[in-house]
Amino acid sequence: MPRTEHLVGTRALLLAAARDEFAAHGMGGARVGRIAEQAGVSKERIYGYFGSKEKLFAAVISEALTEHATLLGPPSADLAEYAGRIYDLHRRNPQLLRLMMWEALYYDGGLPNEQPRSARYRGMVATLSEALGSQSETETESDTEPGSESDTEAASTLLALIGLAILPTAFPQITRLILGATADAPGGDDDDELRAHIVRLARRMVAPSSDAVT
């Protein structure tokens, strides 16, 4: 195997092992030794590739978010169904949500790679704004910063859609307590009913006020 392919393969093994470790234990509880053992390399190799456990954690988060964006895609014209897609993605990939929750607990303030991540969300807000019909024809690209008047509604709507869709996966204990013991089992009848209800609520949320259910 050429050296470049070997390096890429080793890095991928390390990231996969680190993703499992960080999802299970967070930044504070993860152990570089366990990651190295699962990947079949030495601890020194990990530091050679990433420099520190914190940088490895940041690399894992970055890779997971890129994968998330690829699987989910941009907001669609059917925003209620987009909420359903968010729900489906996290039900099928709960590890990603755990990583993001560990990230929220670990970092106090700025995040690694915050600027490109913010830019990605600004793109989603701009797409959502168009879908909502709230972006004027004369608006320029520079006006799509979060907080601009035309995109405030779209940004708040995106946040609400995400919150609505991920809560059952983020807090399975609350889901069980409210809906029953089988409600948090992905793929079951209760799961299908919960998804359908989330889509209905999202449809009401994004409906024009004249069409809203009273």
Side-chain angles (χ1 to χ4, degrees), residues 103-212:
E103 180 190 47
L105 289 170
Y106 181 71
Y107 291 107
D108 182 15
L111 299 171
N113 302 315
E114 183 158 336
Q115 289 187 350
R117 289 172 64 176
S118 293
R120 180 180 296 167
Y121 280 110
R122 286 199 299 272
M124 294 173 68
V125 167
T127 301
L128 184 58
S129 182
E130 292 178 359
L132 289 169
S134 61
Q135 185 166 327
S136 70
E137 294 180 359
T138 59
E139 187 176 30
T140 63
E141 185 176 345
S142 63
D143 292 326
T144 60
E145 291 289 329
S148 65
E149 183 176 352
S150 62
D151 276 339
T152 298
E153 179 187 356
S156 298
T157 299
L158 177 62
L159 185 63
L161 288 173
I162 291 172
L164 178 66
I166 70 173
L167 189 143
T169 304
F171 299 101
Q173 75 278 28
I174 296 178
T175 303
R176 288 194 303 271
L177 289 170
I178 294 175
L179 298 180
T182 62
D184 69 330
D189 291 340
D190 290 340
D191 189 44
D192 292 339
E193 291 177 8
L194 180 55
R195 184 196 191 278
H197 189 65
I198 285 172
V199 170
R200 288 194 297 271
L201 286 177
R203 201 170 301 286
R204 295 180 185 181
M205 183 191 306
V206 300
S209 57
S210 60
D211 297 334

